[in-house]
Amino acid sequence: MTIKQRETREAGDARVTLTEKTQRAQMEWRQGRAGQMRLREQLKEPSLAGWQRRKIELKLKLGADGWEPEKKIATSSMEKIRLLNSEFPKEWTIKHLSEQFKISQESVRRILKSKFQSSEEHTEQREHQRKLKIRAFKRSEKGGSK
């Protein structure tokens, strides 16, 4: 039966009709399970390098969607994380930074690993947009309280 067709099956006395979306999700889940089993088998190989092992573990942990952090932080916070870790690496470990900034250790690790630096022009433009939003919010707050 193809995904476009609706599948009907017996569930006790009631009939359950699966939509295309549900069928697709079930098929992806089955394929994902097979892929996870292959990855787990690869992890058992003793000849894997450390970086290869970590890559496979991340694939298992993050799933097919890849890296999608729950919480995104401002660029200024990322710069603070980099500065604290570079200036005081023994006090500001990945674990301590993740607790202080309330983000995952994986997020901190990726921030420290990345070398991204936004241009000064882009930073000024973002700051200008932020100030405009604050002014608009204050105006709407004053208008609503009258």
Side-chain angles (χ1 to χ4, degrees):
M1 183 172 284
T2 65
I3 292 176
K4 292 183 179 180
Q5 297 172 335
R6 287 182 179 245
E7 179 183 330
T8 304
R9 64 176 182 209
E10 298 281 334
D13 293 337
R15 294 180 65 96
V16 178
T17 303
L18 302 177
T19 63
E20 292 176 32
K21 186 176 180 181
T22 305
Q23 288 178 31
R24 193 175 305 116
Q26 284 183 348
M27 187 180 301
E28 288 172 3
W29 183 80
R30 287 184 196 118
Q31 290 171 350
R33 297 271 298 164
Q36 285 181 353
M37 289 174 63
R38 280 193 302 274
L39 288 174
R40 284 195 179 94
E41 288 298 319
Q42 288 177 359
L43 269 178
K44 292 177 183 176
E45 291 181 25
S47 62
L48 279 179
W51 68 270
Q52 290 172 322
R53 186 172 303 282
R54 178 157 181 79
K55 186 175 180 180
I56 292 172
E57 288 171 352
L58 280 174
K59 276 186 183 179
L60 284 169
K61 181 180 174 185
L62 300 175
D65 296 338
W67 175 247
E68 189 63 40
E70 294 175 13
K71 181 179 176 184
K72 298 186 181 191
I73 62 172
T75 309
S76 59
S77 297
M78 289 184 208
E79 291 170 4
K80 288 176 190 173
I81 288 172
R82 287 189 195 106
L83 178 72
L84 288 169
N85 185 263
S86 66
E87 294 291 321
F88 311 103
K90 291 186 179 172
E91 295 94 30
W92 291 96
T93 61
I94 291 176
K95 183 177 181 181
H96 190 215
L97 286 166
S98 71
E99 291 168 356
Q100 289 297 314
F101 285 88
K102 295 178 177 48
I103 57 175
S104 69
Q105 289 184 20
E106 181 65 21
S107 297
V108 174
R109 189 187 70 76
R110 286 173 181 255
I111 289 167
L112 293 175
K113 182 180 168 185
S114 74
K115 304 294 181 199
F116 173 77
Q117 294 289 325
S118 62
S119 66
E120 197 170 309
E121 180 182 315
H122 186 259
T123 306
E124 288 174 10
Q125 188 179 27
R126 250 191 3 256
E127 187 63 24
H128 178 70
Q129 290 292 326
R130 188 182 69 81
K131 287 179 181 177
L132 287 175
K133 287 179 183 179
I134 290 171
R135 281 190 213 131
F137 177 74
K138 287 181 180 178
R139 271 191 250 123
S140 68
E141 205 173 57
K142 287 179 184 176
S145 62
K146 289 183 180 178

